[in-house]
Amino acid sequence: MNRGLVGASLLALVLVIIGVVAAYFGTRYQLRLVYSAYVNLLVVLGLQVFMGNARVTNLSHSAFMGIGAYAAAICVTPQNIKAISLPDAPWGLNTFALDPVTSALIAIAVTGLIAFLVGIVIVRLSGIGATIVSLAVLVIIHSLFLYRTDIFKGNQAFFGIPQVFSLTSVVILAVIVVFATRLFRESRWGIALRASADDEVGASTMGVNIYRLRLIAWVMSGVLLAIAGIAYAYYLGTISARPFYFNHVFLTLAMLILGGMRTITGAVLGCFLISFGLEWVRWLETGPLLLGIDLPEALGLSGIALGAVIVLTMALRPGGIMGEREIEDFILKS
Amino acid sequence: MLERRGHNGPAFRFSKEMLSVDNLEVFHGPIKAVHGISFKIDAGQCVALLGPNGAGKTSTISAITGIARATGQVLFEGSDISKTPVEARIQRGISVSPEGRRVFANLTVEENLRLGSAASDSNTKTSIAEFFDTFPILGERRHQSAGTLSGGEQQMLAIARALIAKPRILLLDEPSLGLAPKIVGQIFSLIGDLKAKGITILLVEQNAAQALRLSDYVYFLNNGRIAAEGTAESLGKSDTLMAELTGIS
Amino acid sequence: MEYLAQQMMNAFAFGAEYALLALGLAIVFSIMGLVNFAHGEMIAVGGYSMVAMAALSLGNPMIVIGFALLAAVVASVTLERVAFRPVRYADPTTGLLTAFGVSIILQNLFLLLVSPRPIAVTSLYFLEWSIPIGMVSISSLQLFEALTTIIVIVALMLFLRQTSLGLAMRAAALDFEMVRLTGIRANRVFAMAFMISGMLAGIACIFIMARRGSVDPHLGFDPVLKAFVACVVGGFGSLPGAVLGGFLLGVVEVAMLVLLPQSLGGMTDAFVFGIIALVLVWRPNGILAARAEKGDKQ
């Protein structure tokens, strides 16, 4: 547990330093980039709680992020804006507006409840079954976002969300979540869950209720994803359904895989490596002038890069860069 | 050491070397299960590897078939097969009846045998019919799925599946494990018949008494090393070793 | 009466398509524990091969169909060699994520090299006409699809029971190492599994293309997601389970299309998956769960 605190503190330090450097030296565009890296870090950490401990691949995480973002957005957006953007909203959703904190709490509760209901089915399935069903969940939730345009506005912008978050807020959030996920990993539950993932039969004979543990991790993951979604909505002020679908799923998945899903350090490392690396690929994608050669526009290059990251990591280093190591393992002696 | 052993053994009827293993080390992940053992089997011999659980017997078999990661040399009929893939070793004439029998439970008895002969050139149809003469019980159950057979029948099927490829050498890994004493007797009399037909056999066993009776030469493994070796008669004379081998004092 | 017969035919045709794809997934999974997310891209490869045929103005339907099948098979076998060999004996999660990555790469390659937009393919429209049978008239395409699926299932069964390689594939589902210990080359078994899988995807591709008439980078996603769900419901790794799951999904989907009011039209899949989730609450390992015990496979 103490090692966990040391490790989490070291990571927190890194997060704060990156945040401070960005705040002082970053351009507006770079600030936005760093902000989205932090939001994705929240997502990756939320993903890690379930995937890293239960060792079951989840593909629905972006949808839960979306639920959190939309729930908070619906609560917090002022009535006059909702009257324009959601004129046909059912259940009087456009007749009230709450303060950001209450809205965020409601959004977390709603996402947690939905995660709980989905989790009841997911945690009982075998690893592969759970992955497929999580994919189906992603599709279901996305189609809800798309077809209930009266509530979510589908692919159109849901605008007018008060922009109450800054880079500072998301750095603080990220630090808190790093501590939470790291402490969960080292907790009795986390250890039991990881043991059960390595040896399901053995763990269950030792009296570990795997389903309950998985459900706890799953719901916790859902809550963290909701927080990520809220941070996303509160900063941008505008959301739509598209960012909560496939592209985001495999972006964040690639981050977790590259860094190593088994550790928090891996999640942080993978997130920043890909966030910044991808920016370079995106620049290539636009067809820039490189070394005097006018490169053609190459839409899809970033997707190929992400896919390649996943495939190569799996082939060469299935545990990711970090494997089983956390940051403090480089400093402290075991 | 090899020479001394090779030419002084009184039970050797053939001098042609079938399989020899030199300084074999076998690994399970990071753990070394076998620490540099050497032994050899001449054509037509039945050689036994005895020893307690965890002595490295099955690891040695796995290294000979190529399933386990190993260093050292495995010579088969004079050529080095240490780097040869598993399938090619089998095709060259090494057949194995593995620990735990591992019959294909979802296939019928006949399908198990067809699979056993699939990789060899021999004419499958006739040889399966021949086999049912040798193993009448399997013939009776030819259309039953292998999972429904009794333990003894499954062991026979596993041996039959290995034999049908007409191997140069037969590796038998714990053929008596978990079987009732009466069935164990049947299995060993079957192995005796095979030996009488001149089939070269490497037998891995915990049931030392039965194995000693059948074998020309015996290696006793402990903790991944050869702790003792000799002809069955010479080992049989050592009371302390016998006590250790058979568990009877 | 006519309406009912029509809908039953629809359900059967949908189910046949899902069953074909689910079989392709199950056959690879049963042997190497790989959840092949890139299966959908084999369908897209078939579709783009038709575009290529049209560009070369080769209109002969037999050539178009044959080439699409060939393309899907070659792509599938190539993937096995290039991408899945390093993770052949890895744990299922590693394989699953590799396949996921491969799928992303292929989709983006289509996007990069061809076009992000749908491309029309009209060469297979000839497969669709209306056959009057008594009072009802059914679609020839659906009839072809149902018949082809039945033939494919029978052929696959014969292959798995009669040939050595087929036996090896069934045995490999239980104990691959032991199959190698009988001297059958692992590479051949894997290659055959992917060949069959690609062939099944190619066949499904022909029907999908004949119905949709266009191909885009995400062509395979929807049908393969359904096929995955069919596999999970039937019991992952079980071939009969894949077929059963496929047809069950077809029936549920058509029932939803018929029963749901117009206003919920876009939500059909959500309802289909919801119902399927209930089946999984009842039987978490699928209806015909494979016999392999937990901890049995490495």
Side-chain angles (χ1 to χ4, degrees):
Chain A
M1 195 59 95
N2 284 332
R3 288 180 75 90
L5 283 174
V6 172
S9 308
L10 287 169
L11 286 179
L13 187 69
V14 173
L15 293 181
V16 170
I17 290 172
I18 295 177
V20 169
V21 169
Y24 274 93
F25 302 105
T27 62
R28 236 183 105 76
Y29 174 75
Q30 284 165 335
L31 269 185
R32 239 178 113 108
L33 179 68
V34 173
Y35 189 90
S36 71
Y38 275 90
V39 170
N40 282 334
L41 176 61
L42 294 177
V43 175
V44 174
L45 289 170
L47 193 56
Q48 195 277 338
V49 169
F50 185 72
M51 261 182 82
N53 292 310
R55 311 272 156 77
V56 174
T57 307
N58 173 16
L59 300 174
S60 65
H61 51 281
S62 300
F64 285 96
M65 180 191 176
I67 295 174
Y70 273 113
I74 289 167
C75 290
V76 79
T77 306
Q79 281 121 305
N80 54 351
I81 296 177
K82 280 199 283 197
I84 304 164
S85 64
L86 302 174
D88 306 318
W91 314 308
L93 286 177
N94 54 5
T95 57
F96 70 95
L98 302 169
D99 64 283
V101 176
T102 317
S103 302
L105 291 177
I106 290 174
I108 289 170
V110 167
T111 315
L113 181 69
I114 294 172
F116 176 75
L117 294 175
V118 172
I120 289 174
V121 178
I122 293 255
V123 297
R124 296 189 164 269
L125 302 177
S126 69
I128 281 140
T131 303
I132 308 289
V133 172
S134 77
L135 187 59
V137 168
L138 176 77
V139 172
I140 292 176
I141 294 176
H142 186 70
S143 63
L144 264 173
F145 289 157
L146 284 189
Y147 291 105
R148 290 309 299 258
T149 44
D150 51 342
I151 308 176
F152 305 110
K153 293 192 65 70
N155 270 332
Q156 281 176 299
F158 186 121
F159 54 85
I161 307 162
Q163 289 167 276
V164 291
F165 263 38
S166 64
L167 185 60
T168 317
S169 358
V170 81
V171 171
I172 293 170
L173 262 185
V175 167
I176 294 170
V177 171
V178 159
F179 272 95
T181 48
R182 185 65 206 271
L183 292 182
F184 180 81
R185 182 178 186 265
E186 308 304 334
S187 71
R188 209 162 45 85
W189 286 345
I191 291 168
L193 199 53
R194 282 186 281 145
S196 74
D198 287 337
D199 179 6
E200 198 166 306
V201 181
S204 62
T205 54
M206 278 157 53
V208 174
N209 185 341
I210 302 164
Y211 298 143
R212 211 175 62 113
L213 287 174
R214 278 195 191 161
L215 189 58
I216 290 169
W218 175 263
V219 173
M220 183 172 167
S221 167
V223 166
L224 294 177
L225 292 165
I227 292 173
I230 295 163
Y232 179 80
Y234 279 8
Y235 181 77
L236 287 181
T238 304
I239 57 176
S240 71
R242 193 169 295 131
F244 306 121
Y245 204 43
F246 261 97
N247 289 344
H248 188 257
V249 167
F250 62 72
L251 169 68
T252 43
L253 199 63
M255 290 174 173
L256 185 58
I257 289 167
L258 176 65
M261 67 172 97
R262 297 192 167 204
T263 63
I264 309 298
T265 312
V268 174
L269 180 68
C271 178
F272 283 107
L273 280 181
I274 290 198
S275 291
F276 299 131
L278 203 60
E279 205 45 39
W280 186 73
V281 178
R282 290 225 175 90
W283 171 74
L284 277 183
E285 219 169 31
T286 58
L289 207 64
L290 187 67
L291 302 172
I293 307 161
D294 192 5
L295 293 172
E297 193 177 275
L299 212 63
L301 210 57
S302 55
I304 293 170
L306 285 178
V309 164
I310 295 177
V311 172
L312 291 177
T313 310
M314 283 299 128
L316 305 175
R317 211 179 157 92
I321 296 174
M322 296 305 291
E324 294 282 353
R325 286 168 302 171
E326 288 279 8
I327 189 168
E328 76 276 5
D329 293 335
F330 296 99
I331 299 162
L332 302 175
K333 289 209 172 73
S334 59
Chain B
M1 195 175 150
L2 267 172
E3 276 77 73
R4 180 182 62 78
R5 198 196 285 158
H7 295 290
N8 294 352
F12 294 162
R13 286 166 294 172
F14 306 93
S15 57
K16 189 174 174 276
E17 190 176 282
M18 181 66 78
L19 180 81
S20 81
V21 158
D22 191 30
N23 196 21
L24 186 75
E25 296 191 326
V26 191
F27 302 86
H28 285 303
I31 301 156
K32 199 194 270 188
V34 174
H35 303 262
I37 63 169
S38 306
F39 63 88
K40 62 175 235 167
I41 303 153
D42 286 350
Q45 263 194 324
C46 176
V47 170
L49 287 180
L50 305 181
N53 246 333
K57 307 185 299 290
T58 297
S59 303
T60 306
I61 294 279
S62 302
I64 295 172
T65 56
I67 291 287
R69 194 164 60 89
T71 63
Q73 225 180 20
V74 181
L75 289 179
F76 180 63
E77 298 190 308
S79 55
D80 187 356
I81 57 165
S82 316
K83 299 282 176 283
T84 312
V86 178
E87 298 91 330
R89 297 189 198 196
I90 307 296
Q91 282 171 7
R92 279 194 178 192
I94 299 176
S95 266
V96 59
S97 157
E99 186 184 14
R101 327 193 215 297
R102 291 168 74 173
V103 296
F104 302 114
N106 55 345
L107 269 55
T108 65
V109 168
E110 191 174 331
E111 286 172 335
N112 267 276
L113 292 176
R114 275 171 59 198
L115 205 46
S117 66
S120 63
D121 312 323
S122 58
N123 191 335
T124 316
K125 278 256 161 54
T126 55
S127 66
I128 286 182
E130 273 170 38
F131 260 73
F132 288 141
D133 293 339
T134 326
F135 301 90
I137 293 176
L138 296 181
E140 279 169 37
R141 308 206 187 291
R142 61 194 294 173
H143 296 303
Q144 244 171 279
S145 73
T148 63
L149 300 185
S150 72
E153 289 162 354
Q154 288 193 6
Q155 185 58 59
M156 272 187 205
L157 178 56
I159 295 175
R161 181 181 59 188
L163 276 177
I164 201 163
K166 305 213 168 99
R168 312 276 301 144
I169 183 169
L170 181 62
L171 314 180
L172 295 173
D173 196 350
E174 304 265 17
S176 73
L177 194 71
L179 298 180
K182 196 182 131 208
I183 312 291
V184 172
Q186 288 176 13
I187 296 289
F188 276 105
S189 81
L190 169 65
I191 299 171
D193 292 347
L194 297 178
K195 189 193 165 193
K197 282 184 190 166
I199 295 173
T200 312
I201 297 171
L202 176 62
L203 175 64
V204 160
E205 258 303 330
Q206 288 193 55
N207 188 335
Q210 293 270 24
L212 280 171
R213 201 168 50 74
L214 279 176
S215 307
D216 300 307
Y217 203 82
V218 176
Y219 296 88
F220 182 67
L221 254 65
N222 205 355
N223 291 324
R225 291 185 175 84
I226 294 178
E229 64 176 277
T231 59
E233 296 86 26
S234 70
L235 281 183
K237 281 175 197 143
S238 160
D239 287 343
T240 48
L241 188 60
M242 272 312 284
E244 205 177 327
L245 287 177
T246 55
I248 306 161
S249 52
Chain C
M1 179 59 207
E2 186 183 333
Y3 183 70
L4 189 68
Q6 188 67 60
Q7 295 305 342
M8 276 167 63
M9 196 62 212
N10 278 339
F12 197 76
F14 273 49
E17 182 189 314
Y18 300 146
L20 278 179
L21 293 171
L23 265 177
L25 295 169
I27 208 154
V28 166
F29 181 82
S30 71
I31 285 164
M32 63 184 292
L34 176 80
V35 179
N36 189 4
F37 270 106
H39 198 57
E41 280 58 56
M42 300 307 101
I43 302 175
V45 165
Y48 283 116
S49 78
M50 293 177 191
V51 175
M53 288 280 100
L56 297 170
S57 46
L58 285 169
N60 183 317
M62 284 305 123
I63 294 180
V64 172
I65 289 175
F67 192 71
L69 287 178
L70 185 70
V73 168
V74 168
S76 182
V77 173
T78 309
L79 276 193
E80 191 275 315
R81 291 202 70 121
V82 175
F84 297 130
R85 200 160 278 195
V87 296
R88 188 181 274 181
Y89 301 111
D91 63 302
T93 306
T94 306
L96 180 149
L97 292 172
T98 304
F100 193 69
V102 168
S103 162
I104 296 168
I105 293 177
L106 290 177
Q107 282 187 19
N108 283 284
L109 274 178
F110 299 143
L111 205 137
L112 180 66
L113 301 177
V114 191
S115 162
R117 273 175 284 284
I119 301 174
V121 174
T122 53
S123 44
L124 293 179
Y125 279 160
F126 74 94
L127 283 171
E128 175 74 303
W129 73 89
S130 183
I131 306 172
I133 298 178
M135 299 204 319
V136 299
S137 80
I138 57 171
S139 137
S140 63
L141 187 62
Q142 290 186 335
L143 195 66
F144 285 141
E145 188 157 19
L147 287 177
T148 309
T149 305
I150 292 168
I151 293 169
V152 163
I153 291 172
V154 171
L156 191 59
M157 250 167 56
L158 285 176
F159 169 77
L160 289 173
R161 292 193 179 280
Q162 301 302 329
T163 67
S164 310
L165 206 50
L167 290 178
M169 290 177 69
R170 279 165 61 207
L174 207 67
D175 188 344
F176 202 116
E177 196 174 273
M178 191 58 229
V179 172
R180 298 183 74 197
L181 285 173
T182 63
I184 293 168
R185 292 218 315 275
N187 284 349
R188 281 185 63 202
V189 178
F190 285 118
M192 187 46 104
F194 275 86
M195 199 184 271
I196 293 173
S197 175
M199 175 69 85
L200 293 170
I203 294 170
C205 166
I206 288 160
F207 293 111
I208 292 170
M209 291 300 292
R211 203 171 317 121
R212 286 183 36 144
S214 75
V215 52
D216 63 72
H218 308 289
L219 175 71
F221 178 74
D222 264 358
V224 168
L225 176 60
K226 296 259 173 59
F228 268 124
V229 173
C231 282
V232 174
V233 171
F236 223 117
S238 152
L239 302 189
V243 174
L244 177 72
F247 281 108
L248 184 69
L249 206 64
V251 171
V252 173
E253 186 166 352
V254 169
M256 287 298 113
L257 283 171
V258 172
L259 298 176
L260 285 179
Q262 202 76 47
S263 60
L264 290 171
M267 296 296 297
T268 314
D269 282 355
F271 279 89
V272 173
F273 291 146
I275 288 169
I276 293 303
L278 293 180
V279 177
L280 290 174
V281 174
W282 166 55
R283 292 197 74 134
N285 291 321
I287 300 170
L288 303 176
R291 243 177 302 178
E293 298 271 321
K294 264 176 184 161
D296 217 32
K297 262 197 165 177
Q298 292 169 343

